[in-house]
Amino acid sequence: MLRQIAERLQSAFTRALAAALAAAFAFWAARHLLGHQQPVFAAIAALICLAPGIPSQIRQGMGLIVGVTVGIVVGEFALVIPPELAELRMASATFIAMMVAVSFGMPPVVPIQAGASAMLVLLMGPQVAGLARFSRRAGRCFHRPHRCICVLP
């Protein structure tokens, strides 16, 4: 049993270290190069893309982008539901975002991220986590690509 644990730890060591360093770098880059005060999502995105056990980091990263985009769009549409029906709005947006994401046939991170992104738009508001924020980041990357690092979420 101890041997199996040691093998698992050895197998995951490089990826876990890379993920931790990438999360720290993404946090630093978003904070110092892009001016975010608390770039939590940049660090989380790096961690999700590089975590141990992920067979393809590129595919994981693309899935993360698809999931975030689907979740933001669905979350924005859900804002038409009155705030008095917050629970209905949350449940329906999360469900629809996950179902749309599942239709792409991508890894499980995509519907998970879509549901989480839809929730974040509703919980944090569209200015903090919605299309306005997404377009500001995308525009910044478009106009200054030399300063753009994958920190959109």
Side-chain angles (χ1 to χ4, degrees):
M1 181 166 150
L2 289 177
R3 185 176 178 185
Q4 285 179 322
I5 292 171
E7 288 173 0
R8 287 184 201 134
L9 292 172
Q10 184 180 9
S11 172
F13 180 83
T14 304
R15 285 260 180 97
L17 181 61
L21 293 175
F25 177 74
F27 187 87
W28 176 87
R31 190 174 211 186
H32 296 285
L33 299 179
L34 300 176
H36 291 274
Q37 295 292 52
Q38 287 291 356
V40 175
F41 299 116
I44 291 171
L47 184 67
I48 290 171
C49 290
L50 295 174
I54 303 298
S56 170
Q57 284 81 24
I58 292 172
R59 188 169 180 204
Q60 183 84 348
M62 294 306 294
L64 187 67
I65 291 168
V66 169
V68 166
T69 304
V70 168
I72 288 172
V73 170
V74 172
E76 290 278 344
F77 278 117
L79 289 171
V80 301
I81 299 172
E84 296 78 26
L85 302 171
E87 293 81 5
L88 174 65
R89 181 166 69 173
M90 178 71 67
S92 60
T94 305
F95 175 75
I96 292 168
M98 292 180 78
M99 293 305 289
V100 169
V102 164
S103 72
F104 293 118
M106 296 177 79
V109 70
V110 178
I112 293 167
Q113 187 61 53
S117 293
M119 278 193 229
L120 288 170
V121 169
L122 298 174
L123 294 170
M124 299 175 78
Q127 293 304 316
V128 175
L131 284 174
R133 182 180 185 328
F134 187 81
S135 62
R136 282 195 309 269
R137 297 299 151 240
R140 187 175 282 176
C141 289
F142 179 74
H143 293 295
R144 293 185 279 170
H146 63 284
R147 290 186 66 186
C148 184
I149 299 168
C150 184
V151 291
L152 281 175

